[in-house]
Amino acid sequence: MTEVAKRKTGKIVAIVGICAAIAAGGIGVATVPGLLAGSAQNQAGTAPSTPAPEAKPVELGVTPLDGAVEWNPVVGPQVKAVNGKVKDVVLAPVGGGTPVPGKTSADGTTWTTLEVLKFKTQYNYSFTVVDTAGKETKKTQTFTTVSAAYEADASIYPRNGSVAGSGQPIEINFSEPVLDKAAMEKRVGITVSSGQPVAWHWYSDKKVRIRPEAFWASGSTVTVDMKLLGVDFGNGMIGNGNVTSTFTTGPQRIAVVDDTTKTMNVYINGQLEHTAPVSLGGEDWLSPTGYAVIMEQERHSNFNAGTIGLKPGDKGYYPPLVVEYANRLTWSGVYVHQALEAAWGAIGRVNVSHGCVGLLPEDAAWFFNNMKTGDVVQILNTGAPPVEPLEGFGDWNIPWASYAQR
């Protein structure tokens, strides 16, 4: 064999060896990739396959967490996926019930509820997560909304649709302590048709009253709109609903009782409408001074000396009796009412009652029929201190500058 023939034969063997290596599993790919790639392309006519890219891990945010309790039903549950999408979300009460409607964002990454959940309810939360490679993973979680033990609510007086006197403060009683009073005040909208500004006076963490500087203007419409649903009162207590009350005020009716003259003058919208003689509390039972508000009216009311601490044998004790035309001013038992027949001779001359304002029958009937709950009674010159605010509605005895302070 010539030298030239040997050189040609060696090239053929080398090429055959490389091709055999490729066929045997790619030995030599890492060392000569350029050549192998060229040889593979030339002989097979196709490029080698490219491995599929790996899917990024899905980061999942679900609120509330699995097993959560006392969840605020106003805070809408949400499923959010990063590096993925969510689908087939079903949120429904455990044990059956209508699924909660929700919506999925345009990019498919977030699902949120469209309505408030129920209190005291356990929910089942199922959904599917899809990663960027199309792989699906199904998940199920549960949580429970606020239980009865953590519900909070409030009541408003005057009641919705009622007509109140011009001296009636608004009273709100909360079922649970309000820890952030300033925040709560911002949650309550108060509109007054007369434009009178109002101030809040907190008597405790659960009771507040609201009034204008002067008595309500005649014929005012007052609306109290409390947005409490889902509001945290503090200590995890959650408001379970919104409360609204709209009431109107009648004419400004004010009865001024003067112990010096033993008379009562009744003014309606500033005009004197009626004058009557009175008898007030005796030396041991002085009638309180200042402003009071008529709390309730009874055509016939049962009086019992035991309610003011008296028992048989005590000075001033009287057996149970029925009083006519009774208008309550305080919880402790101060009324404007028809005096007992035995006291009629004292009316206009001397004080003989246990602190009440006694009237003759005709005047008592006029007062009962023309004055209403929420109207004002002002008592002067008895020497006794003013009516305490929580003894009834003695709020008007607190100066405006002090009333507006927390």
Side-chain angles (χ1 to χ4, degrees), residues 119-120 146-156 171-178 184 188 202 205-208 226-234 236-244:
F119 279 78
K120 306 182 291 292
V146 172
S147 61
Y150 290 91
E151 282 189 70
D153 56 30
S155 62
I156 303 171
E171 179 174 290
I172 302 175
N173 287 294
F174 297 93
S175 66
E176 305 297 333
V178 176
M184 180 59 73
V188 180
W202 291 85
D205 288 342
K206 297 172 68 174
K207 182 188 290 291
V208 66
M226 304 181 66
K227 302 296 186 184
L228 299 183
L229 182 61
V231 172
D232 191 343
F233 283 40
M237 308 305 296
I238 306 299
N240 64 5
N242 299 323
V243 186
T244 301

Side-chain angles (χ1 to χ4, degrees), residues 112-178:
T112 53
T113 53
L114 291 175
E115 66 180 34
V116 174
L117 305 183
K118 297 178 181 179
F119 279 78
K120 306 182 291 292
T121 303
Q122 185 178 32
Y123 283 90
N124 188 71
Y125 211 174
S126 64
F127 51 90
T128 299
V129 183
V130 186
D131 65 19
T132 54
K135 180 181 177 181
E136 296 186 353
T137 302
K138 293 185 177 180
K139 296 182 68 68
T140 299
Q141 297 183 186
T142 60
F143 65 91
T144 306
T145 56
V146 172
S147 61
Y150 290 91
E151 282 189 70
D153 56 30
S155 62
I156 303 171
Y157 185 83
R159 296 180 179 85
N160 187 48
S162 64
V163 178
S166 63
Q168 180 61 60
I170 299 166
E171 179 174 290
I172 302 175
N173 287 294
F174 297 93
S175 66
E176 305 297 333
V178 176

Side-chain angles (χ1 to χ4, degrees), residues 27 47 74 84-85 87 115 121 201 209 214 230 290 304 316 318 327 348 358 362 364 372-373 389 399:
I27 297 174
V74 176
K85 296 183 178 182
K87 69 174 189 176
E115 66 180 34
T121 303
H201 191 86
R209 286 182 181 167
N304 188 326
Y318 57 86
N327 307 265
E362 183 178 351
K372 303 300 177 184
T373 56

Side-chain angles (χ1 to χ4, degrees), residues 166 216-219 249-254 266-273:
S166 63
W216 301 109
S218 178
T249 62
Q252 285 193 342
R253 292 180 285 244
I254 303 172
V266 180
Y267 300 87
I268 300 179
N269 288 333
Q271 299 296 314
L272 179 62
E273 295 291 337

